[in-house]
């Protein structure tokens, strides 16, 4: 049985009385564009733009996320995604509980 993060976190939070989770210490954003093996009508070039995000907690645990900005179906560009993550979202997350998905 596979669980998504949204399904898993409430189960673990409700089922176990836990001490406060280590706070988020760092948010790193890695904008990259990697070549694709095939043609995708959503990408104008044979590459896929992606912003990888690494969130690291005070105890060294970390997790990864990804955003694929494609301005053919939204207003997002690699620059808008990276700058929003770095300047607006990351500062709000620093010091917060990584298990608080609300």
């Amino acid at each position: 049985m596979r669980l998504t993060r949204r399904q898993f976190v409430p189960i673990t939070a409700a089922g176990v009385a836990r001490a406060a989770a280590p706070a988020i210490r760092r948010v790193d954003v890695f904008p990259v564009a990697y070549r694709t093996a095939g043609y995708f009508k959503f990408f104008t070039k044979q590459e896929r733009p992606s912003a990888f995000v690494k969130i690291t907690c005070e105890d060294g645990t970390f997790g990864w996320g990804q955003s694929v900005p494609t301005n053919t179906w939204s207003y997002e560009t690699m620059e808008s995604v990276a700058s929003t993550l770095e300047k607006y979202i990351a500062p709000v997350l620093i010091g917060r509980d990584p298990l608080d998905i609300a």
Side-chain angles (χ1 to χ4, degrees), residues 62-96:
F62 61 90
W64 288 90
Q66 177 187 21
S67 172
V68 181
T70 304
N71 58 8
T72 53
W73 72 67
S74 75
Y75 64 90
E76 296 172 326
T77 65
M78 179 62 77
E79 294 78 17
S80 70
V81 168
S83 66
T84 300
L85 288 167
E86 292 169 347
K87 295 179 182 178
Y88 299 100
I89 296 176
V92 173
L93 294 177
I94 302 298
R96 303 283 298 264

Side-chain angles (χ1 to χ4, degrees), residues 24-98:
I24 295 173
R25 177 183 54 184
R26 183 181 176 120
V27 178
D28 297 302
V29 180
F30 304 94
V32 298
Y34 55 88
R35 291 190 50 79
T36 57
Y39 168 78
F40 294 91
K41 66 181 179 179
F42 298 116
F43 305 122
T44 56
K45 301 176 186 173
Q46 198 170 352
E47 64 183 21
R48 182 177 185 172
S50 293
F52 293 97
V53 180
K54 181 181 180 185
I55 296 179
T56 306
C57 294
E58 292 171 337
D59 67 352
T61 58
F62 61 90
W64 288 90
Q66 177 187 21
S67 172
V68 181
T70 304
N71 58 8
T72 53
W73 72 67
S74 75
Y75 64 90
E76 296 172 326
T77 65
M78 179 62 77
E79 294 78 17
S80 70
V81 168
S83 66
T84 300
L85 288 167
E86 292 169 347
K87 295 179 182 178
Y88 299 100
I89 296 176
V92 173
L93 294 177
I94 302 298
R96 303 283 298 264
D97 181 347

